[in-house]
Amino acid sequence: AAFVVSAFAADAAANWSEHCAKCHGESGKGDTKMGKKLSIADLTDAKVQANFTDAAALTAMKEGIKDKAGKVQMKPIENVNEAEMKALVAHVRKLQK
């Protein structure tokens, strides 16, 4: 069982690097060029983490995020299955400081 958990953790870290880090940053602070442009929240902040549920994070990954005017701010993640998305949510939760 430990191998399965560590495999998902490794997959989550790889998926984070591939699909999320460009905007959110490797650390989750949103301090990348694109993150600053989009005013991405600091996912290491406990208050930020408290403001969204795991279900909301999954929905954002599946459907993307649009602003009030309907402009795409985050595209849906492609080529990542449901289990991998759930592992990504767990990864995001571990970013909290």
Side-chain angles (χ1 to χ4, degrees), residues 8-80:
F8 271 118
D11 288 345
N15 280 329
W16 176 266
S17 292
E18 181 178 346
H19 300 286
C20 311
K22 180 179 178 183
C23 298
H24 290 282
E26 281 297 331
S27 68
K29 290 186 172 287
D31 56 359
T32 64
K33 183 176 179 180
M34 187 59 71
K36 291 174 184 175
K37 180 179 177 182
L38 296 172
S39 299
I40 291 177
D42 179 354
L43 295 175
T44 68
D45 186 314
K47 290 180 184 176
V48 170
Q49 291 241 1
N51 284 329
F52 67 87
T53 63
D54 290 359
L58 280 171
T59 298
M61 287 183 224
K62 290 177 186 177
E63 299 175 10
I65 297 175
K66 294 181 180 177
D67 65 15
K68 292 179 181 176
K71 183 178 177 187
V72 174
Q73 291 194 306
M74 182 178 115
K75 294 179 183 178
I77 299 176
E78 297 178 342
N79 303 317
V80 177

Side-chain angles (χ1 to χ4, degrees), residues 1-15 83-84 87-88 90-91 94:
F3 174 74
V4 173
V5 171
S6 63
F8 271 118
D11 288 345
N15 280 329
E84 291 168 324
L88 269 171
H91 179 80
K94 290 179 187 172

